Amino acid sequence: MRAREISSLALDSYQRAARVALSNHLVTATYPDRIALPLLRRWATELREDLLELFGYRLEVTETTARLFPVIDRLDDSQPARTSTERIFDRRRYAYLSLALAALGRAGNQITLSELADHVAVEASQVDGVELTTDRASDRDAFVDAIGWLATRGAIALADGDATGWAHNPSAGEALYDIDRPVIVAMFRPPRAVQHLRSVRGLLAGPDAPIDSDEADPERPDPERPVDPKETLRAVRRALVEQPVVYLDDLDSDGKAALAASRTVGEVELLTGLTAERRSEGVALIDSSGRLSDYRFPSTGTIAQVALLIAGEISDRVIDPDAPKLPTYPLPDADALIEQLDTAIPDGGIFGDLAEFGLSSEPRTVDRNPARQQYPLIEDSWLASVVDDLVERFGRTFAAQWQTDKNGLRLRALALLHRLRLVHSVSGGVLVLPVIARYRDVMVSVRDRTPQDSLFGTEQPASTEQTASTEFPEAEAQ
């Protein structure tokens, strides 16, 4: 491992470079900032070797881009594409993003927004269920969101005009973009042509990717063959940097042994500069600085504060000896999500002849952990009553939009807890995961702030502004 050879004076710089690569799979001259690419270029050789050795990731660094090609072990919906206003992309925006990226790959050095929209509209008309009509304001807004996502990452740069003006009135507004072709080329590099896959399993690593061919693919493991210990170690290390917490119950016997080894976690700590927190249920990397994490928790804001309070209430309910015993259930099988996604693959987009050497729609998986762990179920009705009580007690301190939208507040807060693997959302409630006990002793204090006297001695009306704050241990979600 090259990190061991780096001097203590330079190690912090190297760890910052590693965190940049792991948290931003695409780095350009301007994204995520202007110092990221020079930092990666400085440590390119060492990072390339360590990322491949520890995680099986491939890193490509050029003068204008750095691209990390990760190995995907499981489907993850916790990091969706977002607009500039933090709105999560819907299916239409994802479709426009993909079609715009394809159109830009065939364009010259510059393109106008209306011209790009025309290209995307033509391509969209050939896909069932996708349509871009520039006369429709909602379509224009979604298209501009997709273009903004590309611009943020440096794939295109605004040379003249205004995209917002075009979105408001395409006959009066226009925008001209410079195209950065190296970024376009680096941005979409799937490990396999998606037209050759009958299942999203083909994009995953490990034994969940079955082979539908007499000729075995040496790059894809056969579920019937023993797992390489090195690959097991890499999978565990990948989980440590990609998931907020790695539970032992998520792993098979080989994975549990790998996670228990101090060297496995120690190597990730050395590379990232993070500190591991071990508990009997698993391991979490604590990033108190926020340099690798995509979301800080606990945090400020109504959603984060309410999520923290709900976590405390859930923890108390689980261990309450006087309350009725909660029913327990295992976590849903990931195969259900895979099957749901597979049903959405358009048959017309698959190259039949080539797909015969791709993936079958019939999974051939090996159950490596038949004794599935059971988790307590908290029902939605109980959660709704908890949120009602929190709004009653602290609602005056919440953002105005959530004071009257209790249901929306509950859903957003639970979505955050699900994202952090503190709970797992299921139909009718949530399954409580062990790490939520970390926030069991949440204490709430309400600070009163009384207005100061006027500079001219005029008496002010008696009033008090109150805000809620929470006391909690510092922790960070990756």
Side-chain angles (χ1 to χ4, degrees):
M1 184 176 176
R2 294 295 296 272
R4 296 194 182 94
E5 304 171 3
I6 298 174
S7 68
S8 57
L9 295 177
L11 184 59
D12 180 69
S13 173
Y14 181 67
Q15 291 172 336
R16 283 191 287 114
R19 291 192 294 264
V20 168
L22 290 170
S23 56
N24 302 280
H25 293 175
L26 175 67
V27 175
T28 65
T30 58
Y31 182 83
D33 52 51
R34 294 187 179 277
I35 65 174
L37 185 60
L39 181 63
L40 289 183
R41 284 174 53 82
R42 174 187 176 185
W43 297 105
T45 300
E46 294 85 353
L47 279 177
R48 189 178 296 113
E49 295 183 20
D50 279 352
L51 290 172
L52 181 62
E53 176 186 346
L54 295 184
F55 308 108
Y57 293 167
R58 181 165 55 89
L59 177 67
E60 290 184 0
V61 180
T62 68
E63 293 183 359
T64 56
T65 63
R67 183 71 164 92
L68 182 70
F69 295 90
V71 177
I72 307 301
D73 296 291
R74 59 195 289 269
L75 299 179
D76 182 11
D77 61 351
S78 66
Q79 301 182 51
R82 296 176 182 269
T83 68
S84 58
T85 58
E86 289 299 307
R87 179 180 178 181
I88 294 177
F89 269 36
D90 54 15
R91 297 177 67 181
R92 175 167 53 176
R93 285 169 171 77
Y94 278 121
Y96 292 166
L97 175 61
S98 301
L99 295 175
L101 192 58
L104 290 170
R106 298 189 295 266
N109 296 324
Q110 286 188 322
I111 193 169
T112 63
L113 188 59
S114 58
E115 182 184 1
L116 181 57
D118 290 340
H119 285 300
V120 172
V122 171
E123 297 293 339
S125 65
Q126 302 179 38
V127 182
D128 294 339
V130 181
E131 182 182 22
L132 172 58
T133 303
T134 55
D135 293 335
R136 193 158 47 216
S138 60
D139 282 9
R140 295 197 303 271
D141 289 340
F143 179 70
V144 169
D145 284 340
I147 297 305
W149 190 92
L150 292 170
T152 298
R153 284 151 183 80
I156 54 177
L158 185 65
D160 193 15
D162 179 21
T164 303
W166 180 87
H168 290 162
N169 186 356
S171 62
E174 184 59 281
L176 176 66
Y177 288 95
D178 294 325
I179 301 174
D180 193 323
R181 192 155 303 284
V183 176
I184 295 293
V185 172
M187 186 166 285
F188 184 66
R189 300 271 297 278
R192 296 179 181 85
V194 294
Q195 295 92 337
H196 301 175
L197 304 180
R198 297 187 188 275
S199 170
V200 296
R201 295 176 187 276
L203 301 177
L204 302 177
D208 283 342
I211 300 174
D212 186 29
S213 171
D214 293 335
E215 298 181 5
D217 185 346
E219 296 183 358
R220 236 181 314 154
D222 185 340
E224 303 299 333
R225 288 183 298 187
V227 177
D228 185 347
K230 291 184 179 180
E231 291 304 318
T232 299
L233 288 172
R234 286 175 173 172
V236 171
R237 296 191 198 103
R238 291 195 292 264
L240 285 169
V241 296
E242 293 171 359
Q243 301 176 29
V245 57
V246 180
Y247 292 110
L248 287 172
D249 292 323
D250 294 339
L251 308 173
D252 58 22
S253 58
D254 293 334
K256 291 177 181 178
L259 186 63
S262 58
R263 180 175 178 178
T264 304
V265 180
E267 289 172 333
V268 179
E269 288 180 299
L270 178 60
L271 179 70
T272 62
L274 274 58
T275 302
E277 181 177 296
R278 287 185 177 272
R279 291 291 185 267
S280 59
E281 298 88 357
V283 179
L285 288 182
I286 306 302
D287 181 16
S288 57
S289 67
R291 295 170 179 170
L292 178 61
S293 308
D294 61 341
Y295 194 90
R296 177 181 290 274
F297 187 80
S299 184
T300 57
T302 299
I303 299 299
Q305 292 286 304
V306 171
L308 180 63
L309 294 172
I310 292 176
E313 295 288 343
I314 290 176
S315 299
D316 291 340
R317 172 63 183 87
V318 170
I319 65 173
D320 187 353
D322 299 324
K325 186 176 180 180
L326 295 170
T328 59
Y329 300 92
L331 291 176
D333 197 325
D335 285 344
L337 177 58
I338 292 176
E339 292 171 4
Q340 183 181 4
L341 292 173
D342 287 350
T343 59
I345 297 177
D347 293 335
I350 301 296
F351 293 159
D353 293 341
L354 295 177
E356 292 180 2
F357 299 95
L359 295 175
S360 169
S361 59
E362 295 295 331
R364 292 188 297 149
T365 61
V366 177
D367 187 0
R368 298 180 181 275
N369 191 13
R372 303 180 64 188
Q373 177 69 25
Q374 304 283 315
Y375 299 96
L377 172 68
I378 297 289
E379 296 183 350
D380 283 334
S381 57
W382 186 88
L383 293 167
S385 66
V386 167
V387 173
D388 289 345
D389 179 63
L390 293 176
V391 172
E392 179 70 23
R393 294 161 58 192
F394 310 112
R396 64 187 179 278
T397 69
F398 294 169
Q401 71 180 103
W402 302 119
Q403 294 181 14
T404 56
D405 186 8
K406 298 178 182 179
N407 186 56
L409 178 60
R410 174 176 59 86
L411 294 177
R412 289 286 299 275
L414 291 176
L416 176 57
L417 295 178
H418 174 92
R419 176 183 181 181
L420 300 172
R421 298 207 75 195
L422 303 181
V423 302
H424 188 94
S425 298
V426 295
S427 178
V430 297
L431 297 177
V432 184
L433 302 182
V435 79
I436 201 171
R438 195 177 206 276
Y439 308 101
R440 187 175 61 203
D441 298 323
V442 172
M443 299 178 61
V444 179
S445 63
V446 178
R447 296 192 298 267
D448 293 339
R449 295 186 297 185
T450 304
Q452 297 179 353
D453 293 338
S454 169
L455 292 174
F456 298 98
T458 305
E459 291 186 0
Q460 299 294 322
S463 64
T464 301
E465 180 182 3
Q466 296 180 315
T467 59
S469 65
T470 52
E471 299 177 3
F472 40 72
E474 279 296 329
E476 191 73 14
Q478 296 171 322

